[in-house]
Amino acid sequence: MKKGLKHRLIALAAAGTLAVSGLAAAQEDQTYRIYVSNEYGAGITVLDGETYEQIDYIDITGRPGEVRPRGMGVSPDGSTIYVAVSDFFPVLETPEDKLVAIDVDSGEVIIEIRAGGNPERLHVSPDGSQVWAALEAIAQGGGYYTDTGEEIATFRVGVEAEGVAVSPDGKYVYVSAEATHTTTIFDIENLETVKHVLVGNRPREVRFSPDGAFAYVSAEIGGTVSVIDTESQEVVDTVSLGLDSRPVEMAVSPDGDRLYVAGGGTNAVYVISIPEHELITTITENMGRRPWGITITPDGQRVFTANGLSDTISVIDTECLCVVENIEAGRGPHSVEVGVVPNND
Amino acid sequence: MIKTLRNSALALAAAALIGSAFAQNYTHNPFYEDPSSHAHNYALRAMEIRFDVLQNITVDDAEVYEEAAEGLGDSLVAVQGSLNEADPEIYARLDELFDAIEDAVEDGEDYGDLVTEAAVLVEQAHELLLGEDFNADPVNLGVVLSRLMLDDGGVAEGWEEIFEDELADFVIGYAALQRSYDLWEKLEPFADETQAFEVRDSLDYMATELYASHLPPENFHLMDAEAGEAPAHRVVSYLERITDATLYAQRDLAPLVVHIDELAVLACGLYDAGDTLMAGEVMNQSYYFYDENLPRMLNLFDPDLQEAIQDSYATVDDQDGAGDSCTELLENLTAARGLLGG
């Protein structure tokens, strides 16, 4: 697997403290990179976070059309990307079912973690020590230590596990499952399942608010986002996006004020005000086709969507809430993540 | 590591539905408003698809034809009471013909004339039960097209099943896709430009990438088993907008389980009244909504209840609603209603 990244000299602020998805605090002097997993191209496109120029392309196994990368995560220090890799044929176990950790500077695989059962999405714990995955074909969630690859736990979830997120305090992992319309809450400290919560129909992804008070679960057929109070661990609100909204992945703004929801089936991004749990606007103009993955920059100024049918990334300005650019990506973009540029000093 | 969750989860699950039930709706709700007509329409269409397989598709696998023939009888259940009421002779003859086709296929005999005769009767049945104009209504077209996309025996499932070496399901899925184009041509004038493009694009994707022929692509095992799912859902999503109708019966589980229960109650009443054919037809509708939507979810929250409901449906069917079979089924469905807040 791979070529080295072309090194770029970029001034960095102190690195190593920022979580990558849903960063707790934006630091404007930090630069970032954009990583796009290409389901059909079997590779990761790496873009400069300022110019949006492609600075590298990391092949995953070199077998496009046979093995696919989908969900991704980035270590808090930006040095490692984690990629959920699976065969296209979702049998219970294949040799290709794994989580791959890649050094972003060298492009080398640091560690491969066997994760049987067609891992679809993953989430890196806030401290970077663990990675948790939704294992779609075997209806399980799985957790692994990032330094050794050792399994922490696997646990039963609903059928066709899709989304996964670790709470900001690192104590719980939530896994959504589309065929059972559920989100399973797993206690990481005690290694036990707390409960299965019924959410909207065909749930796709889970995201936490930065303060950890709420978890949001998108429901593709329901056309909703279920709001789970993490204290009571119950659904306390449901945001309706429209029956034709087809929500999939989500990104929470670093300040916790907004939730951006990709409308995979509708070529749209829905913007929800978090305090009110209300839909503010729907962005459709100039959006790419089938936006699936979505992420936000550490400063909260840009949102990116991975557009599976147009092979592009749409760039949304969060001030005008409009698409300002569409960037070419690889074949079949699935997920997009932002990572700080690692400090190599 | 797995912790079994039972009763404690039930109340929580019901609570989880707060704020979600029927928060938004399309104007039409066909699966709830007229389940019988839509069941008839789909069943008759499914018969035609199986005729296509039996008469127009050549494969070197007898099982394909055997499964196509077996499915005819299953589809007949969906219309048996109504058709028998409308024209007992057509019903009886179709029943005979389907048995004869199944036997002929099994014995390797020629069944061409039998299928031709059955096809004429199915066309007559359609006119009797639904009338000529039924499939001029976009909502009705949307219902049957959405079911062809997503149901067992449909396009998306047919593709997925080839990965389990079920060639028959693939071939039936292929035939279903050809019929889907026919239906879409009638529906397309109701769509705006974007809707028409998106539906056509998704159908074309399935027709070229997955179902380029009635046989699976040579390298299908390297492809995505769920590759039919996304475009099929995309089609249904656009059909909902085109028809202004809810085509996902399961979008809200609470009203769905009520619907399932109410159909079962109606069927049990018909069994009590001695109308076994009509009772079986209505119970078939109840089971369809149950089987397509609830078993996996129930199996997570309460596997015993899920198993009990499955067993109850089977017992009612075996015993034609006799004894305690209906009572047990209705009790179990009441428990499911409690679970889902219905």
Side-chain angles (χ1 to χ4, degrees):
Chain A
M1 172 157 332
K2 275 40 180 19
K3 20 175 148 158
L5 289 170
K6 295 170 194 160
H7 291 269
R8 296 170 61 85
L9 295 174
I10 300 170
L12 297 175
T17 55
L18 287 181
V20 174
S21 290
L23 290 165
Q27 297 188 10
E28 289 181 6
D29 52 351
Q30 278 196 311
T31 53
Y32 54 85
R33 290 171 180 157
I34 304 160
Y35 301 94
V36 186
S37 63
N38 300 298
E39 194 171 0
Y40 296 108
I44 308 298
T45 303
V46 186
L47 304 168
D48 183 281
E50 292 177 352
T51 65
Y52 309 142
E53 286 176 6
Q54 182 174 325
I55 54 177
D56 199 10
Y57 188 87
I58 303 171
D59 287 329
I60 300 290
T61 76
R63 292 163 56 199
E66 295 179 27
V67 177
R68 56 180 168 179
R70 289 189 287 178
M72 289 187 298
V74 190
S75 63
D77 64 3
S79 66
T80 308
I81 55 172
Y82 297 88
V83 186
V85 178
S86 60
D87 198 297
F88 270 99
F89 180 18
V91 292
L92 294 185
E93 295 272 346
T94 81
E96 301 299 348
D97 286 349
K98 57 195 170 192
L99 311 181
V100 178
I102 299 169
D103 181 297
V104 299
D105 279 331
S106 69
E108 295 297 323
V109 173
I110 302 166
I111 192 167
E112 285 190 358
I113 301 170
R114 286 282 304 130
N118 205 28
E120 175 145 357
R121 286 193 177 84
L122 56 79
H123 197 241
V124 181
S125 63
D127 65 2
S129 67
Q130 302 170 1
V131 58
W132 291 81
L135 307 176
E136 185 179 13
I138 56 175
Q140 289 187 2
Y144 311 87
Y145 292 110
T146 52
D147 55 352
T148 63
E150 184 191 348
E151 181 180 297
I152 302 165
T154 56
F155 56 98
R156 184 191 184 199
V157 300
V159 179
E160 295 189 31
E162 289 275 329
V164 56
V166 181
S167 61
D169 62 9
K171 290 182 177 174
Y172 295 95
V173 59
Y174 285 35
V175 179
S176 61
E178 67 179 73
T180 47
H181 324 301
T182 49
T183 294
T184 297
I185 301 175
F186 185 76
D187 182 333
I188 295 174
E189 283 182 346
N190 296 307
L191 297 180
E192 66 179 15
T193 299
V194 178
K195 65 159 68 167
H196 308 294
V197 180
L198 207 53
V199 292
N201 201 288
R202 200 174 164 88
R204 284 293 192 171
E205 211 205 17
V206 190
R207 279 288 173 264
F208 284 92
S209 59
D211 63 5
F214 298 104
Y216 305 99
V217 186
S218 57
E220 191 181 14
I221 292 175
T224 58
V225 173
S226 299
V227 182
I228 298 174
D229 181 324
T230 56
E231 187 71 31
S232 66
Q233 298 177 326
E234 292 179 355
V235 174
V236 293
D237 203 355
T238 301
V239 185
S240 295
L241 303 179
L243 291 171
D244 58 357
S245 54
R246 315 289 296 178
V248 281
E249 287 196 4
M250 299 174 289
V252 183
S253 63
D255 61 10
D257 279 353
R258 284 180 184 168
L259 182 67
Y260 297 89
V261 187
T266 55
N267 311 337
V269 166
Y270 304 89
V271 186
I272 294 170
S273 164
I274 286 182
E276 289 86 21
H277 291 155
E278 282 178 4
L279 180 66
I280 302 170
T281 192
T282 303
I283 304 167
T284 56
E285 198 173 341
N286 297 323
M287 276 298 307
R289 288 186 69 211
R290 196 174 183 249
W292 202 259
I294 191 167
T295 191
I296 190 165
T297 56
D299 59 14
Q301 293 182 2
R302 291 285 186 274
V303 165
F304 304 102
T305 62
N307 308 319
L309 289 183
S310 52
D311 295 344
T312 58
I313 301 301
S314 291
V315 183
I316 294 169
D317 181 325
T318 57
E319 196 165 310
C320 66
L321 293 175
C322 60
V323 175
V324 292
E325 196 166 346
N326 279 293
I327 310 161
E328 281 189 19
R331 286 199 301 123
H334 180 282
S335 289
V336 56
E337 295 288 342
V338 168
V340 294
V341 176
N343 183 354
N344 294 315
D345 293 344
Chain B
M1 192 56 55
I2 297 167
K3 189 174 178 181
T4 304
L5 301 170
R6 292 290 314 281
N7 294 338
S8 61
L10 306 188
L12 302 171
L17 287 173
I18 292 170
S20 70
F22 282 119
Q24 39 189 357
N25 267 318
Y26 288 108
T27 301
H28 307 286
N29 204 3
F31 287 112
Y32 290 75
E33 291 158 359
D34 191 1
S36 287
S37 295
H38 296 296
H40 296 163
N41 198 29
Y42 181 76
L44 296 169
R45 189 68 62 181
M47 291 175 196
E48 290 168 354
I49 286 166
R50 287 163 194 278
F51 295 154
D52 287 345
V53 172
L54 290 166
Q55 284 194 307
N56 303 322
I57 292 178
T58 305
V59 289
D60 188 19
D61 185 341
E63 267 186 39
V64 170
Y65 301 113
E66 285 168 14
E67 286 207 26
E70 283 170 20
L72 292 169
D74 295 339
S75 294
L76 188 60
V77 175
V79 297
Q80 63 184 20
S82 301
L83 185 57
N84 185 57
E85 210 169 87
D87 191 326
E89 283 180 21
I90 289 182
Y91 167 70
R93 182 59 185 149
L94 269 180
D95 196 23
E96 282 172 10
L97 281 169
F98 288 170
D99 284 344
I101 291 168
E102 210 175 317
D103 291 344
V105 169
E106 229 175 78
D107 299 340
E109 294 169 359
D110 181 35
Y111 48 77
D113 289 345
L114 298 172
V115 171
T116 302
E117 185 187 348
V120 171
L121 293 178
V122 165
E123 208 176 309
Q124 290 174 8
H126 194 284
E127 207 169 312
L128 277 170
L129 297 178
L130 300 165
E132 270 183 20
D133 295 335
F134 191 80
N135 281 329
D137 183 322
V139 173
N140 301 338
L141 286 166
V143 171
V144 71
L145 186 47
S146 67
R147 288 191 62 178
L148 288 178
M149 288 291 108
L150 297 175
D151 277 11
D152 283 341
V155 178
E157 288 295 320
W159 171 255
E160 195 166 347
E161 287 301 312
I162 193 59
F163 292 84
E164 303 294 333
D165 291 328
E166 297 290 348
L167 180 62
D169 289 325
F170 179 88
V171 174
I172 291 166
Y174 169 83
L177 182 57
Q178 313 315 309
R179 288 279 172 170
S180 299
Y181 271 104
D182 297 341
L183 293 165
W184 170 242
E185 276 178 19
K186 292 180 186 171
L187 196 47
E188 192 168 5
F190 297 95
D192 66 26
E193 200 177 329
T194 303
Q195 292 164 341
F197 169 78
E198 294 289 354
V199 173
R200 177 70 68 173
D201 187 58
S202 297
L203 290 174
D204 288 349
Y205 169 81
M206 292 187 280
T208 54
E209 300 295 323
L210 312 182
Y211 288 105
S213 137
H214 62 275
L215 293 174
E218 213 166 278
N219 64 341
F220 79 86
H221 59 283
L222 296 177
M223 298 169 73
D224 183 1
E226 294 181 345
E229 198 176 89
H233 276 290
R234 198 171 176 85
V235 168
V236 176
S237 179
Y238 278 98
L239 292 179
E240 286 197 311
R241 277 180 264 177
I242 293 165
T243 62
D244 190 17
T246 297
L247 301 178
Y248 287 104
Q250 78 279 24
R251 181 172 275 121
D252 290 298
L253 295 176
L256 178 67
V257 71
V258 172
H259 191 47
I260 289 166
D261 187 32
E262 287 176 351
L263 287 167
V265 168
L266 178 60
C268 285
L270 290 163
Y271 276 125
D272 280 346
D275 193 348
T276 305
L277 282 178
M278 189 63 87
E281 177 185 314
V282 176
M283 192 61 85
N284 189 59
Q285 292 167 26
S286 173
Y287 183 69
Y288 160 71
F289 289 115
Y290 174 78
D291 189 49
E292 284 280 332
N293 302 302
L294 296 187
R296 289 187 290 188
M297 189 277 294
L298 277 182
N299 199 45
L300 183 66
F301 285 102
D302 193 336
D304 292 341
L305 178 59
Q306 196 282 128
E307 198 180 336
I309 292 174
Q310 288 284 9
D311 289 348
S312 302
Y313 273 117
T315 307
V316 168
D317 188 44
D318 286 346
Q319 300 180 0
D320 284 338
D324 294 333
S325 60
C326 253
T327 308
E328 280 177 21
L329 173 64
L330 298 182
E331 281 174 3
N332 289 327
L333 290 176
T334 300
R337 285 180 66 156
L339 169 62
L340 293 170

